[in-house]
Amino acid sequence: MSQDHNKDQKLDGQPDPSRRKFLNTAAFAGLAGAGLSVGLSACKQEQAPAPAAAPAAHPAAEAAEVGKYEVAPGQLDTYYSFSSGGHSGNVRIYGLPSGRELKAIPVFNTDCLVGWGITNESKAILGTKPDGSLKYTTGDTHHVHPSYKDGTYDGKYLFVNDKIHGRIARVRLDTMECDKITELPNMQGYHGTFPDKRDPVDPAINYTTRVFCGAEFSIPLPNNGSNMDKVDQYRSLFTCVDSESMQVRWQVLIDGNCDLVATSYDGKIAATNQYNTEMGVHYPETMAAERDACLFFNVARIEEAVKAGKVTYIGDSKIPVVDGRLASNADPKTALTCYVPIPKNPHGVNISPDGKYYACSGKLSPTASVIAHELVLKWFDGDLKEPRDAVVAEPEIGLGPLHTGFDNKGNAYTTLFLDSQIVKWNVEAAIKAYQGDKNVTVVVDRIDVHYQPGHGFTSMGETKEADGKFFISDNKFSKDRFLPVGPLHAETAQMIDISGDKMKLVADHSVLSEPHDSIVIRRDIIKTRQIYNMDEFPNAVKDFKDSGVFRDGKKVTIKLTSQAPAYSLGEFKVKKGDEVTIILTNHDKVEDLTHGFAIPKYDINFIVNPQETKSVTFKADKPGVYWCYCTHFCHALHLEMRSRLMVEA
């Protein structure tokens, strides 16, 4: 750990309360300054955040010990970490434990490195207006989750949300490229997403077939401007998307906002935590209730209702909608949804690797609620009196609890935003304490992070193969942890060794603003391709002799091939006003031999990987000579790899 950590310790080795008191006081002052009287449910500000005794201070790690986590030159990382890029609109790939950034995958953003948003192929995925321009040029990725088989990752797909425009994207993990984007109807603020792990009915289907998406913002439905003032009728929707076709299967009308999403290992349940069951429009109203909810969806019943035609439609949408509101689902035996009361404005819901428990943290309560999966199912069977009876533990763990990861020893690790800590607590001990056992120790360790963590996640922790090796804390502020780079700071992903009884902070990894969530996957699960198959591209220019300029009225198609260090055409001529489509196929078969293609003054720049084909279409509106050149280093004669575009006046 750095000197920062040491200066936050008193001489007796215990944490100096002044720093934490300042952070907490500042946070609450911000709320009070808005005219709020919020407070933390079940906890006074001056009280200790947890009943457990304060653990021993964590000494600074020795340099030699930290060296054990370094990856030597020429060696490979043990894990991939897939991280959402926030309002950059992309997904990032890091190696762990090194923390090296390996790739940024453009998804909802434009990217002139690869030509995402420039090539015709990427525009078709992103979606365009009638004039051919992109429908959206911004995105906001929050949550990334891979597809499953047998309760663990299958290395096939990665799904990621776009909060700002209500879209879901799919990334192929063999190429690490986005191949599908779907805009969800009737939704705003699409935040949480999670794939299912198996079919809810058919035991033979033990892999992902659906992806669940929660709308965070309640809006008038339909949102056509006719009922904006009827705020009591604002609603959110929970959406199911088919993982293969990426088409929307169905939606559920609900009370409250959705935040994050989790799915059960048996496929029967999807869940979302909710922080605005008050249905407030202004944010003081969203914090009025002492309890909100963790909302559970009975997937099989919902699909039975859809099949039976017990649906409605919203506006012009053709997507079937079932009624999941609380008042419409009072009878457990027919209910589609189950609202489990949870304190207060919960932020995050995660399921334990054994599939038994959901952890749902309070954010404005110092507690983490533990909900038993079997008891939720029992309520749906009519054998549990109240949904709240599914809560089997609710330990006080600290101030501002958010997200929880799990190891393979029955322990949970929760980020504490206000305390700037990670707290380690034992799930079974929490259940015993809830049942009245006063001798168990629930909170077994806690460690400072720098500063104010949002998401946290364990290695393989969202699968049945959680390995209990690392916890990554994505912190919202870094302040003095790295070299200053101006007002916009890098953020920190701090790596914590959780393999022993005591957590050890072993690395600070700088990350660009603003990551939200990440997933850590063993490298053996990911099987990537190194070259494409030319036959995959219907418009591929498969032979050099097929190159040329082909005119159809004012539309001109230029077919090109590339093979280091030359394009198949040294020049090509068009006329001013022509609509020009350039099709380029890379004929090189060597791994890592990518070519680029750029046209000065025409705002065109893209790459083609080995055996890949891409195309661009533009209006030749500027007469003159324009040297098209390779932007991606490919050969000793890379600088000489060029061709002339000649536009006649």
Side-chain angles (χ1 to χ4, degrees), residues 251-262:
Q251 295 183 304
V252 184
L253 186 70
I254 61 172
D255 299 312
N257 296 351
C258 298
D259 185 23
L260 301 193
V261 177

Side-chain angles (χ1 to χ4, degrees), residues 200 210 212 250 267-270 297-304:
R210 307 163 180 80
F212 300 107
W250 43 259
K268 295 180 179 180
I269 296 294
F297 300 85
N298 190 313
V299 179
R301 286 188 188 174
I302 290 170
E303 298 195 347
E304 287 172 4

